[in-house]
């Protein structure tokens, strides 16, 4: 980062001046990106579950589902922690208000809204309803994990047997783009899986309030915006090859819809 540039103080405050502030070897941004927020989110969820036990004697099925789904998501993110090293947050953005507030306050307190809602608004959930929601979360997780792993494996080692047979197109940079497998279904299959899970986390809260749907609505807007930013970067990086990919795989996130 060039510290001789005058900069815009508001922008600098929001995005941050320093890309990787460190204390010795300790990288503050890398540490804060997942650990405090995600672990805090799970702890808050568990606190809500315990509150339910205190109030009503046992945790409800809806609370157990919300806690289990989100615990799975957090465990998956921490297990695959090194994947954040290639994200925009780590590569482009500084450690300013956006990431500090986002990682440490926004994630644990807004992502845990469903469990907090269930403490105040208990929901009766039928076994059939629970089965449908579990299936939805399972399908979402499967698409999310398999598509992310497929791309990560392809970027790490394109000759690996699990990805070697997939159809690809060449780009001027020397890197290739997948046009079959998950990345041939839509241009962001990982976002599709993430959004199906987000919906499954809200459904146990019933349909009486909008609040538990905050996450899925916010996340849809965030991912549509993120997808557009990523497309811009990919078009700049890959030029004509990206246009060919877009013609081959016309839908961005939702097959036949968007
Ligand atoms: P992605 O994992 O979607 O990566 C996008 C990059 O993948 C592109 O820039 C390009 O980079 C590469 N790529 C795109 N298309 C292809 C293709 N056809 N073949 C090969 N490579 C391709 O980026 P994100 O960081 O946005 O998402 C990672 C995960 O994190 C997602 O599952 C997302 O849902 C999740 N997420 C969750 C959030 C939350 O708050 N819960 C917030 C943000 C993300 P290159 O070619 O340079 O490799």
């Amino acid at each position: 980062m060039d510290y001789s540039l005058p900069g815009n103080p508001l922008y600098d405050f929001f995005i941050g001046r320093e890309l990787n502030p460190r204390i010795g070897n300790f990288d503050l941004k890398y540490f804060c990106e997942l650990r405090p927020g995600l672990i805090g989110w799970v702890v808050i969820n568990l606190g809500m579950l315990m509150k339910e036990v205190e109030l009503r004697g046992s945790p409800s099925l809806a609370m157990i589902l919300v806690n289990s789904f989100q615990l799975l998501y957090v465990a998956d993110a921490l297990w695959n922690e090194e994947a954040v090293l290639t994200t925009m947050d780590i590569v482009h953005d500084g450690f300013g208000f956006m990431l500090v507030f986002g990682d440490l306050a926004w994630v644990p307190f807004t992502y845990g809204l469903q469990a907090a809602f269930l403490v105040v608004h208990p929901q009766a959930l039928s076994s059939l309803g629970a089965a449908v929601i579990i299936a939805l979360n399972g399908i979402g997780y499967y698409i999310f994990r398999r598509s992310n792993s497929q791309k990560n494996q392809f970027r790490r080692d394109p000759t690996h047997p699990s990805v070697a047979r997939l159809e690809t197109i060449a780009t001027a940079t020397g890197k290739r783009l997948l046009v079959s497998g998950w990345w041939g279904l839509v241009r962001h299959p990982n976002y599709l899986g993430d959004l199906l899970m987000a919906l499954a986390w809200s459904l146990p809260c019933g349909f009486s309030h909008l609040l538990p749907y905050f996450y899925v609505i916010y996340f849809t807007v965030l991912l549509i915006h993120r997808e557009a930013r990523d497309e811009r970067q990919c078009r700049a990086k890959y030029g004509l090859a990206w246009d060919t990919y877009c013609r081959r795989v016309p839908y961005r996130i939702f097959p036949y819809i968007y």
Side-chain angles (χ1 to χ4, degrees), residues 104-121:
L104 303 179
W106 179 262
V107 167
F109 292 106
T110 64
Y111 286 26
L113 272 179
Q114 286 106 355
F117 175 86
L118 287 173
V119 172
V120 190
H121 303 274

mmCIF file of all heavy atoms in Angstrom, residues 104-121:
data_model
loop_
_atom_site.group_PDB
_atom_site.id
_atom_site.type_symbol
_atom_site.label_atom_id
_atom_site.label_comp_id
_atom_site.label_asym_id
_atom_site.label_seq_id
_atom_site.Cartn_x
_atom_site.Cartn_y
_atom_site.Cartn_z
ATOM 1 N N LEU A 104 -16.484 -8.580 13.949
ATOM 2 C CA LEU A 104 -16.577 -8.719 15.410
ATOM 3 C C LEU A 104 -17.968 -8.443 15.971
ATOM 4 O O LEU A 104 -18.305 -8.958 17.037
ATOM 5 C CB LEU A 104 -15.564 -7.792 16.103
ATOM 6 C CG LEU A 104 -14.106 -8.000 15.684
ATOM 7 C CD1 LEU A 104 -13.201 -7.023 16.398
ATOM 8 C CD2 LEU A 104 -13.667 -9.436 15.977
ATOM 9 N N ALA A 105 -18.769 -7.627 15.280
ATOM 10 C CA ALA A 105 -20.084 -7.276 15.836
ATOM 11 C C ALA A 105 -21.232 -7.749 14.942
ATOM 12 O O ALA A 105 -22.149 -8.436 15.390
ATOM 13 C CB ALA A 105 -20.174 -5.761 16.037
ATOM 14 N N TRP A 106 -21.160 -7.402 13.662
ATOM 15 C CA TRP A 106 -22.266 -7.697 12.744
ATOM 16 C C TRP A 106 -22.542 -9.201 12.654
ATOM 17 O O TRP A 106 -23.680 -9.655 12.808
ATOM 18 C CB TRP A 106 -21.945 -7.114 11.370
ATOM 19 C CG TRP A 106 -22.981 -7.351 10.328
ATOM 20 C CD1 TRP A 106 -22.984 -8.321 9.367
ATOM 21 C CD2 TRP A 106 -24.197 -6.602 10.144
ATOM 22 N NE1 TRP A 106 -24.105 -8.222 8.592
ATOM 23 C CE2 TRP A 106 -24.866 -7.174 9.049
ATOM 24 C CE3 TRP A 106 -24.773 -5.509 10.792
ATOM 25 C CZ2 TRP A 106 -26.079 -6.694 8.580
ATOM 26 C CZ3 TRP A 106 -25.991 -5.031 10.323
ATOM 27 C CH2 TRP A 106 -26.624 -5.619 9.234
ATOM 28 N N VAL A 107 -21.502 -9.980 12.409
ATOM 29 C CA VAL A 107 -21.701 -11.426 12.203
ATOM 30 C C VAL A 107 -22.324 -12.087 13.437
ATOM 31 O O VAL A 107 -23.416 -12.663 13.348
ATOM 32 C CB VAL A 107 -20.384 -12.125 11.765
ATOM 33 C CG1 VAL A 107 -20.516 -13.635 11.852
ATOM 34 C CG2 VAL A 107 -20.027 -11.713 10.344
ATOM 35 N N PRO A 108 -21.705 -12.013 14.622
ATOM 36 C CA PRO A 108 -22.307 -12.770 15.736
ATOM 37 C C PRO A 108 -23.695 -12.281 16.119
ATOM 38 O O PRO A 108 -24.568 -13.081 16.438
ATOM 39 C CB PRO A 108 -21.324 -12.573 16.886
ATOM 40 C CG PRO A 108 -20.500 -11.398 16.523
ATOM 41 C CD PRO A 108 -20.452 -11.360 15.030
ATOM 42 N N PHE A 109 -23.929 -10.949 16.060
ATOM 43 C CA PHE A 109 -25.197 -10.447 16.591
ATOM 44 C C PHE A 109 -26.345 -10.469 15.588
ATOM 45 O O PHE A 109 -27.492 -10.606 15.982
ATOM 46 C CB PHE A 109 -25.012 -9.055 17.193
ATOM 47 C CG PHE A 109 -24.166 -9.110 18.442
ATOM 48 C CD1 PHE A 109 -22.857 -8.672 18.443
ATOM 49 C CD2 PHE A 109 -24.691 -9.651 19.607
ATOM 50 C CE1 PHE A 109 -22.075 -8.768 19.585
ATOM 51 C CE2 PHE A 109 -23.918 -9.753 20.761
ATOM 52 C CZ PHE A 109 -22.609 -9.310 20.745
ATOM 53 N N THR A 110 -26.070 -10.338 14.287
ATOM 54 C CA THR A 110 -27.204 -10.408 13.352
ATOM 55 C C THR A 110 -27.390 -11.831 12.807
ATOM 56 O O THR A 110 -28.511 -12.234 12.544
ATOM 57 C CB THR A 110 -27.063 -9.441 12.156
ATOM 58 O OG1 THR A 110 -25.942 -9.832 11.387
ATOM 59 C CG2 THR A 110 -26.934 -8.007 12.598
ATOM 60 N N TYR A 111 -26.306 -12.597 12.672
ATOM 61 C CA TYR A 111 -26.461 -13.948 12.141
ATOM 62 C C TYR A 111 -27.159 -14.851 13.179
ATOM 63 O O TYR A 111 -27.713 -15.880 12.834
ATOM 64 C CB TYR A 111 -25.103 -14.544 11.744
ATOM 65 C CG TYR A 111 -24.509 -13.966 10.456
ATOM 66 C CD1 TYR A 111 -24.829 -12.698 10.020
ATOM 67 C CD2 TYR A 111 -23.620 -14.718 9.692
ATOM 68 C CE1 TYR A 111 -24.284 -12.172 8.857
ATOM 69 C CE2 TYR A 111 -23.063 -14.196 8.517
ATOM 70 C CZ TYR A 111 -23.402 -12.930 8.111
ATOM 71 O OH TYR A 111 -22.850 -12.412 6.963
ATOM 72 N N GLY A 112 -27.113 -14.453 14.449
ATOM 73 C CA GLY A 112 -27.753 -15.254 15.490
ATOM 74 C C GLY A 112 -29.180 -14.830 15.790
ATOM 75 O O GLY A 112 -29.751 -15.254 16.790
ATOM 76 N N LEU A 113 -29.779 -14.029 14.908
ATOM 77 C CA LEU A 113 -31.122 -13.503 15.190
ATOM 78 C C LEU A 113 -32.202 -14.586 15.295
ATOM 79 O O LEU A 113 -33.144 -14.445 16.070
ATOM 80 C CB LEU A 113 -31.539 -12.512 14.089
ATOM 81 C CG LEU A 113 -31.138 -11.051 14.293
ATOM 82 C CD1 LEU A 113 -31.595 -10.212 13.106
ATOM 83 C CD2 LEU A 113 -31.756 -10.513 15.579
ATOM 84 N N GLN A 114 -32.064 -15.653 14.509
ATOM 85 C CA GLN A 114 -33.127 -16.679 14.535
ATOM 86 C C GLN A 114 -33.248 -17.322 15.914
ATOM 87 O O GLN A 114 -34.352 -17.503 16.431
ATOM 88 C CB GLN A 114 -32.865 -17.766 13.479
ATOM 89 C CG GLN A 114 -33.133 -17.319 12.082
ATOM 90 C CD GLN A 114 -31.850 -17.082 11.302
ATOM 91 O OE1 GLN A 114 -30.756 -17.175 11.847
ATOM 92 N NE2 GLN A 114 -31.991 -16.783 10.032
ATOM 93 N N ALA A 115 -32.089 -17.662 16.507
ATOM 94 C CA ALA A 115 -32.134 -18.306 17.830
ATOM 95 C C ALA A 115 -32.711 -17.334 18.862
ATOM 96 O O ALA A 115 -33.524 -17.725 19.704
ATOM 97 C CB ALA A 115 -30.730 -18.764 18.227
ATOM 98 N N ALA A 116 -32.325 -16.053 18.771
ATOM 99 C CA ALA A 116 -32.842 -15.049 19.713
ATOM 100 C C ALA A 116 -34.358 -14.914 19.536
ATOM 101 O O ALA A 116 -35.111 -14.821 20.511
ATOM 102 C CB ALA A 116 -32.147 -13.714 19.481
ATOM 103 N N PHE A 117 -34.805 -14.942 18.280
ATOM 104 C CA PHE A 117 -36.238 -14.829 17.985
ATOM 105 C C PHE A 117 -37.018 -15.989 18.621
ATOM 106 O O PHE A 117 -38.086 -15.793 19.207
ATOM 107 C CB PHE A 117 -36.432 -14.827 16.458
ATOM 108 C CG PHE A 117 -37.856 -14.838 16.008
ATOM 109 C CD1 PHE A 117 -38.571 -13.658 15.872
ATOM 110 C CD2 PHE A 117 -38.503 -16.036 15.709
ATOM 111 C CE1 PHE A 117 -39.890 -13.663 15.451
ATOM 112 C CE2 PHE A 117 -39.828 -16.055 15.293
ATOM 113 C CZ PHE A 117 -40.518 -14.860 15.157
ATOM 114 N N LEU A 118 -36.446 -17.196 18.525
ATOM 115 C CA LEU A 118 -37.164 -18.384 19.019
ATOM 116 C C LEU A 118 -37.355 -18.364 20.535
ATOM 117 O O LEU A 118 -38.304 -18.948 21.052
ATOM 118 C CB LEU A 118 -36.420 -19.656 18.589
ATOM 119 C CG LEU A 118 -36.529 -20.008 17.101
ATOM 120 C CD1 LEU A 118 -35.629 -21.178 16.752
ATOM 121 C CD2 LEU A 118 -37.979 -20.311 16.707
ATOM 122 N N VAL A 119 -36.459 -17.680 21.259
ATOM 123 C CA VAL A 119 -36.604 -17.599 22.717
ATOM 124 C C VAL A 119 -37.883 -16.841 23.065
ATOM 125 O O VAL A 119 -38.640 -17.215 23.959
ATOM 126 C CB VAL A 119 -35.377 -16.889 23.350
ATOM 127 C CG1 VAL A 119 -35.614 -16.622 24.830
ATOM 128 C CG2 VAL A 119 -34.129 -17.714 23.151
ATOM 129 N N VAL A 120 -38.154 -15.774 22.295
ATOM 130 C CA VAL A 120 -39.299 -14.911 22.596
ATOM 131 C C VAL A 120 -40.568 -15.387 21.880
ATOM 132 O O VAL A 120 -41.682 -15.153 22.334
ATOM 133 C CB VAL A 120 -38.973 -13.451 22.177
ATOM 134 C CG1 VAL A 120 -40.033 -12.495 22.691
ATOM 135 C CG2 VAL A 120 -37.604 -13.047 22.698
ATOM 136 N N HIS A 121 -40.388 -16.036 20.725
ATOM 137 C CA HIS A 121 -41.545 -16.490 19.931
ATOM 138 C C HIS A 121 -41.423 -17.991 19.675
ATOM 139 O O HIS A 121 -41.007 -18.396 18.583
ATOM 140 C CB HIS A 121 -41.589 -15.763 18.583
ATOM 141 C CG HIS A 121 -41.637 -14.272 18.695
ATOM 142 N ND1 HIS A 121 -42.804 -13.567 18.847
ATOM 143 C CD2 HIS A 121 -40.651 -13.356 18.693
ATOM 144 C CE1 HIS A 121 -42.533 -12.274 18.934
ATOM 145 N NE2 HIS A 121 -41.231 -12.124 18.838
#
